[in-house]
Amino acid sequence: MIQGIVVGLQARIGLILRLPENLDIEIECVVDTGFEGFLTLPSPEIAKLGLHYLGQINAKLADNSNVATNVYLATILWNGVEKDVAVLGMGHRPLIGTALLEDYHLSIDFCDGGTVLVDDILRS
């Protein structure tokens, strides 16, 4: 189970990035259910982290416009398991998208200090 907190009506959870030499850093991310990708990070953060560049895509934004966006590869620790994910270099704050939430249950108490929980889906 992954736990977080609501701050200013933003659901936030910590995400562990696993860098070379098994150096782990935690980044606070906003859960964005309107973003279908895995993760976004601001370009300056990506440069500091030295993530591997994969290429460029045209990302469609909420206003239906397209923007050329660099894509990088990162290894994260998600619910205790290492996972390689595509990271879009864009925006001003880290965002977690629905690709990471696939096959998980998301629960958010939308009030300041509210609980954010990401857990396995219970299947019968």
Side-chain angles (χ1 to χ4, degrees), residues 5-10 109-115:
I5 190 168
V6 174
V7 178
L9 294 181
Q10 293 179 340
D109 295 328
F110 272 106
C111 60
D112 252 355
T115 302

Side-chain angles (χ1 to χ4, degrees), residues 4-5 14-16 19 27 32 38-41 46 50 59 64 72 82 85 88 99 110-111 115 118-119 123-124:
I5 190 168
L15 181 74
I16 304 292
L19 300 174
I27 296 177
D32 183 351
F38 289 99
L39 180 65
T40 71
L41 290 175
I46 289 173
N64 218 25
Y72 301 85
E82 270 192 19
V85 298
L88 302 183
F110 272 106
C111 60
T115 302
V118 180
D119 203 0
R123 299 178 195 257
S124 51

Side-chain angles (χ1 to χ4, degrees), residues 1 4 7 14 21 32 37 44 49 56 85-86 89-91 112-113 119 122:
M1 176 186 311
V7 178
E21 292 112 36
D32 183 351
L49 296 169
Q56 194 174 73
V85 298
M90 62 189 318
D112 252 355
D119 203 0
L122 299 176

